[in-house]
Amino acid sequence: MIFQDNVIKQYLKNVYFITGTPCGGKTTISRELAKRHHLLVYDIDEQFEKHQKISNSAFQPAMNRVFRDADEFFGRTVEEYKQWLLDNTREQLDFVLLDLICLSQNQIVLCDCHLTVEEAEKLTEPSRIVFLIKEPSNLIEGYCNRPDHQGFSDFINSTTDMEKAKATCNATLKSINEKRYQDIKNSDYFWVERSGNSTVDETVRRVERHFRFAEPHKSL
């Protein structure tokens, strides 16, 4: 079954999307916004295991692929790894949209996710999405150093050749996000680029103004 874009947008009218590129600050900013405005955060990465359990290998093969160990996982070529990541995101999106429709009927939901400009155009209005971005080079160190990604850090550190595994990850993430980064910056969407001088408070205030969260929410 295929739903038209206008139908999806109507049913997601209470969802605000915080998306962008890796290490742009999506998780930090969405949680700080939720704390300040008493909102629900829906993090698609946290939902993956639940979605995987109800998925079907015939329809979601990437989500159900099993790897023997870290060496097999990181031993793929950059192109193979990239395609698998893209397929995972595409397959999970159906589950995500249904969750968001259910959760947002009577409340505002902040969705911490990975949308491209093209996907944003289909799912929401510019006033309900912000892109938080970071130049996509050497992303893996920042990713592994995050407390919420300790499992991934342990996994990559279990490889026989950790430096090679990290190089593969960096090349894969750069390959996926280089064009996205430029597409976002060249779009009419609201975006904030993370730099060494960025602060959480400053970024939150900019996103608040864009979403008009400084104003009291109208009852739904």
Side-chain angles (χ1 to χ4, degrees), residues 13-208:
K13 65 183 179 180
N14 291 328
V15 179
Y16 288 78
F17 293 91
I18 299 179
T19 186
T21 59
C23 301
K26 299 184 298 295
T27 300
T28 299
I29 300 306
S30 60
R31 277 154 181 69
E32 183 61 25
L33 277 170
K35 185 172 70 174
R36 294 186 185 191
H37 297 277
H38 310 291
L39 301 174
L40 174 68
V41 173
Y42 179 92
D43 184 333
I44 69 166
D45 290 339
E46 293 180 351
Q47 302 299 318
F48 183 81
E49 187 174 342
K50 180 189 80 172
H51 293 154
Q52 187 181 48
K53 288 179 180 177
I54 59 176
S55 66
N56 186 303
S57 58
F59 300 108
Q60 293 88 27
M63 291 178 67
N64 286 277
R65 183 172 175 184
V66 177
F67 297 90
R68 184 175 60 252
D69 53 25
D71 283 338
E72 182 182 15
F73 185 90
F74 294 107
R76 292 172 287 175
T77 66
V78 168
E79 192 55 40
E80 288 171 337
Y81 192 3
K82 172 185 175 181
Q83 192 58 54
W84 177 79
L85 286 174
L86 292 173
D87 289 344
N88 260 284
T89 302
R90 176 181 50 78
E91 291 173 5
Q92 191 188 6
L93 186 58
D94 288 342
F95 297 100
V96 169
L97 293 178
L98 290 174
D99 281 352
L100 291 174
I101 288 170
C102 293
L103 290 170
S104 67
Q105 291 312 292
N106 297 301
Q107 64 181 328
I108 298 292
V109 177
L110 294 175
C111 181
D112 175 355
C113 58
H114 321 290
L115 295 182
T116 64
V117 168
E118 292 77 14
E119 289 167 336
E121 291 171 351
K122 295 178 181 180
L123 300 179
T124 191
E125 301 298 337
S127 60
R128 295 198 296 270
I129 187 167
V130 61
F131 288 86
L132 302 180
I133 61 176
K134 184 179 184 296
E135 197 278 321
S137 62
N138 197 29
L139 294 170
I140 202 64
E141 287 301 328
Y143 194 85
C144 286
N145 289 333
R146 289 171 49 172
D148 57 328
H149 288 153
Q150 189 59 49
F152 180 83
S153 179
D154 292 342
F155 188 52
I156 199 169
N157 281 307
S158 71
T159 56
T160 303
D161 189 339
M162 183 180 63
E163 292 307 314
K164 183 179 179 182
K166 287 186 175 182
T168 298
C169 272
N170 269 320
T172 302
L173 292 175
K174 185 174 182 180
S175 177
I176 290 174
N177 291 287
E178 232 171 5
K179 183 176 183 299
R180 291 186 180 183
Y181 174 80
Q182 292 301 329
D183 286 347
I184 292 164
K185 296 190 78 169
N186 293 330
S187 76
D188 293 326
Y189 285 101
F190 179 74
W191 53 268
V192 180
E193 183 163 14
R194 185 175 184 176
S195 70
N197 298 320
S198 300
T199 67
V200 171
D201 188 63
E202 175 192 7
T203 304
V204 167
R205 289 181 184 278
R206 293 180 68 181
V207 175
E208 280 177 327

